Amino acid sequence: MKIILHPARAVTLAFMAAIAAGTALLMLPAASAAGTSAPLLVAFFTSVSAVCVTGLVTVDTGTYWSTFGQATIMLLFQLGGFGIMTAATLLGLMVNRSPRLRAKLITQTETHSLGLGDVASIARVVLVVTLLSQAAIAAVLALRLHFAYRLDWLEAGWSGLFHAVSAFNNAGFSIHGDGLVRYASDALILSPIMLAIVVGGIGFPVLHDMRQRLREPRRWSLHTKLTLTGTLVLLLGGFCAALLFEWDNPRTLGPFDMADKLVNGMFISVSARTAGFNAIDIGALSHESWALHYFLMFIGGGSGGTAGGVKVGTVAVLVLLVLAETKGHSDTEAFGRRVGAASQRQAITVLALGSLVVVLGTLALLRLTDFPTDQVIFEVISAFGTVGLSTGITAQLPASGQVVLALLMFFGRVGTITLATSLILGARRMPYRYPEEHPIVG
């Protein structure tokens, strides 16, 4: 008897399979620079972080892993960002131009596409945008590294490719032990990386919609308008707040000149929304900046992209719902459109489940470690939001604490809704409805 998996469960299992395969590859002696087999926990944690495009690490990527190990990590976060099921459907498109309905359903679950008819188009956009963006950014970085930093072409090309793929997938992995701190005063390095982060994290449904109606922004879907507006607000708000909190901090932006402060302020805002790169020491940030990161990391990027978090669209719908309720409006509206009740319920569910996961993760780490609460909260939200930024305590966590972070990364990447629906194979329409009442709220 043929067993049919629910698309959401298939996505979950595919990510688990990728993590298992990555762990096995990273445990090979050829994967470590020392030529010995990496410990199981190190390989497992790194594999989870790569597949879940997070970037949290317990060992230095550039020195601990060999070129083969680094290439394996890059392949893992490419698969994670690209989407296991999206990749599978693209392979099907190459063989058969009309993928089966089941493959479409699975891809729709992974890409959060707006309709079954859009799946094939979005899958093609995913492929084209991914390859072209990564190739262009890699070329720019390689040229800059070769001519400005005197790296030979092979080293410059590998570094450029690794960081371009990592940036586009919002993975945050770097082969430099200090992240991107050495490039803090180089806008020609930080700017292409920021561009890759934004394009990869805005969401493929948005890119698809913009491509289809490039000259008709009025016809863009409500999802596209909310995502673009929310992204702009968060980027500018994060930029201004980062400058306000860190302008005179002698351990972060203080020593920079005006231009470098502006570039690094924007880099903080961009990277905090799930990219995970750092051009300054995260542990040296003020407590206000850590609080800013809590907010930005938890929200994340756009649905259907490489970013994590509860997503910009989710928060946008909730803001609209609150505004409508405070104004006494019966409908939640934006840009001349009414937000459906199902989307409102889903937004509330995503926020509630995400908040619950963060609270439980924080309590678990506080129980297992003696680190300050603010550092623990930062680490937990960074893992759940698949950000990868750290105050420096990841490698110091006990094995049990690292397993907790691994679980948080998995929850954050697979998504609270996808994970929940993978356990509940299908909603049933009940043949009856109970009488309606209105409990007192507030």
Side-chain angles (χ1 to χ4, degrees):
M1 181 178 178
K2 187 176 181 180
I3 299 177
I4 299 178
L5 288 176
H6 187 280
R9 180 169 289 181
V11 170
T12 304
L13 293 176
F15 273 92
M16 289 181 174
I19 290 170
T23 302
L25 288 173
L26 291 176
M27 289 186 68
L28 295 175
S32 71
T36 58
S37 179
L40 174 60
L41 182 58
V42 171
F44 171 72
F45 189 91
T46 304
S47 180
V48 173
S49 184
V51 173
C52 298
V53 292
T54 305
L56 288 175
V57 294
T58 57
V59 294
D60 180 53
T61 305
T63 57
Y64 186 89
W65 303 107
S66 65
T67 302
F68 171 76
Q70 294 173 17
T72 299
I73 292 171
M74 185 175 71
L75 175 63
L76 291 175
F77 59 65
Q78 179 78 296
L79 287 174
F82 193 61
I84 303 297
M85 292 299 102
T86 306
T89 300
L90 282 174
L91 291 175
L93 283 172
M94 295 175 187
V95 177
N96 183 353
R97 285 183 171 271
S98 180
R100 294 185 177 183
L101 177 61
R102 181 149 197 82
K104 287 187 176 182
L105 284 170
I106 293 174
T107 306
Q108 184 185 15
T109 302
E110 172 58 23
T111 62
H112 299 274
S113 57
L114 303 179
L116 280 179
D118 295 330
V119 172
S121 297
I122 288 179
R124 292 188 183 96
V125 173
V126 171
L127 177 63
V128 172
V129 171
T130 297
L131 296 181
L132 292 182
S133 298
Q134 292 178 1
I137 298 299
V140 171
L141 293 178
L143 290 171
R144 180 62 177 172
L145 292 172
H146 174 72
F147 290 109
Y149 295 88
R150 304 304 179 188
L151 300 183
D152 61 66
W153 280 114
L154 183 61
E155 186 179 359
W158 172 243
S159 181
L161 178 63
F162 189 94
H163 289 98
V165 176
S166 182
F168 182 84
N169 287 295
N170 281 225
F173 277 88
S174 174
I175 56 177
H176 304 316
D178 60 354
L180 300 179
V181 173
R182 64 186 65 184
Y183 307 123
S185 296
D186 193 341
L188 295 181
I189 292 288
L190 298 185
S191 297
I193 289 178
M194 284 191 283
L195 178 62
I197 291 169
V198 172
V199 173
I202 204 169
F204 293 115
V206 172
L207 296 176
H208 172 72
D209 191 24
M210 292 175 65
R211 189 195 68 149
Q212 294 289 93
R213 306 179 179 90
L214 183 60
R215 298 181 179 181
E216 301 175 288
R218 292 184 179 181
R219 296 185 59 195
W220 288 350
S221 68
L222 180 58
H223 169 76
T224 297
K225 293 177 180 178
L226 290 179
T227 300
L228 292 177
T229 303
T231 297
L232 182 62
V233 170
L234 289 173
L235 287 177
L236 293 179
F239 168 67
C240 294
L243 292 180
L244 175 65
F245 298 147
E246 301 298 324
W247 189 269
D248 294 321
N249 187 339
R251 300 173 61 193
T252 56
L253 299 185
F256 293 139
D257 58 27
M258 176 74 74
D260 288 342
K261 284 183 178 181
L262 295 177
V263 171
N264 280 272
M266 180 54 70
F267 193 82
I268 290 173
S269 180
V270 171
S271 185
R273 296 180 53 247
T274 85
F277 285 112
N278 67 293
I280 58 176
D281 183 9
I282 298 300
L285 292 173
S286 65
H287 291 283
E288 294 87 348
S289 290
W290 280 1
L292 171 66
H293 277 71
Y294 299 162
F295 178 72
L296 295 177
M297 292 190 300
F298 185 73
I299 294 176
S303 299
T306 57
V310 296
K311 303 297 188 296
V312 174
T314 300
V315 175
V317 169
L318 288 171
V319 170
L320 293 174
L321 176 60
V322 171
L323 290 176
E325 195 65 27
T326 54
K327 293 177 180 179
H329 295 175
S330 58
D331 292 331
T332 301
E333 302 167 336
F335 299 105
R337 293 291 184 271
R338 178 163 46 90
V339 180
S343 294
Q344 296 177 44
R345 289 196 303 270
Q346 188 179 40
I348 294 172
T349 302
V350 168
L351 183 66
L353 290 178
S355 301
L356 178 62
V357 170
V358 168
V359 169
L360 293 178
T362 301
L363 292 175
L365 278 191
L366 287 175
R367 176 71 175 177
L368 296 170
T369 71
D370 296 323
F371 290 108
T373 302
D374 53 358
Q375 286 186 295
V376 169
I377 294 175
F378 192 102
E379 218 75 8
V380 167
I381 299 179
S382 179
F384 171 74
T386 68
V387 181
L389 292 174
S390 174
T391 58
I393 69 173
T394 300
Q396 303 175 46
L397 293 174
S400 55
Q402 292 178 11
V403 170
V404 169
L405 285 187
L407 290 174
L408 287 168
M409 289 187 284
F410 184 79
F411 274 103
R413 179 61 185 112
V414 174
T416 49
I417 288 294
T418 300
L419 191 62
T421 52
S422 71
L423 302 176
I424 306 172
L425 295 183
R428 294 181 298 167
R429 184 178 295 276
M430 303 302 292
Y432 57 85
R433 299 179 72 185
Y434 289 109
E436 181 177 295
E437 282 198 28
H438 298 277
I440 298 175
V441 177

